[in-house]
Amino acid sequence: RPQLESARGNGYRIEIGEVAEILARHAPQASLLHGDLWSGNAGFTAEGPVLFDPAVYYGDREADLAMAELFGGFPPEFYAAYEKAWPLEPGYANRKHLYNLYHLLNHLNLFGGGYLAQVEATLRLLLQAL
């Protein structure tokens, strides 16, 4: 909601309707999240994989996975291994867009109108999912 209010304050006419209803019956187990999980915050050393720039909090694990898909993504093997270790619940394909809406609105507020089309496309996907 704060990102949406900021976007409106910045002059963007964005209506989200009832998209939050996508989470109405979703009751995830709280998980420790990276908070900014995208390919730019991951790397490899001789000892193995590393993550940078954590913004750690507890929440729905799907929020981290959604962010991991948003900007660049990870190799398909990452998602396959995750799905094998802890399968996602039905509905993730819709919920991920709602989780990513926060990041898209944040980028719209920080960097300007170049993100507006992506915000609008995400909202169309969410409204179709209702």
Side-chain angles (χ1 to χ4, degrees):
R1 195 169 305 271
Q3 290 294 344
L4 179 61
E5 291 169 7
S6 291
R8 289 176 178 158
N10 288 329
Y12 299 105
R13 295 179 48 98
I14 299 171
E15 297 302 324
I16 66 166
E18 301 297 320
V19 298
E21 287 298 313
I22 289 174
L23 295 177
R25 291 170 296 284
H26 182 58
Q29 173 185 343
S31 298
L32 186 62
L33 305 181
H34 178 278
D36 193 15
L37 187 60
W38 67 288
S39 60
N41 281 340
F44 298 91
T45 68
E47 289 80 31
V50 294
L51 295 173
F52 310 107
D53 196 23
V56 178
Y57 67 99
Y58 282 96
D60 184 353
R61 66 193 176 113
E62 292 180 355
D64 258 0
L65 289 174
M67 177 69 174
E69 292 184 53
L70 183 60
F71 296 124
F74 291 90
E77 295 83 8
F78 169 86
Y79 302 103
Y82 191 99
E83 184 69 20
K84 184 177 179 183
W86 192 1
L88 293 166
E89 295 180 27
Y92 168 71
N94 293 324
R95 289 188 299 272
K96 71 179 179 181
H97 299 298
L98 184 57
Y99 284 127
N100 282 337
L101 183 59
Y102 168 84
H103 299 291
L104 293 170
L105 287 168
N106 183 44
H107 278 69
L108 178 68
N109 289 322
L110 291 173
F111 306 116
Y115 287 90
L116 183 58
Q118 199 170 2
V119 167
E120 291 171 340
T122 299
L123 284 169
R124 282 191 298 276
L125 289 170
L126 289 166
L127 291 169
Q128 289 172 0
L130 290 176

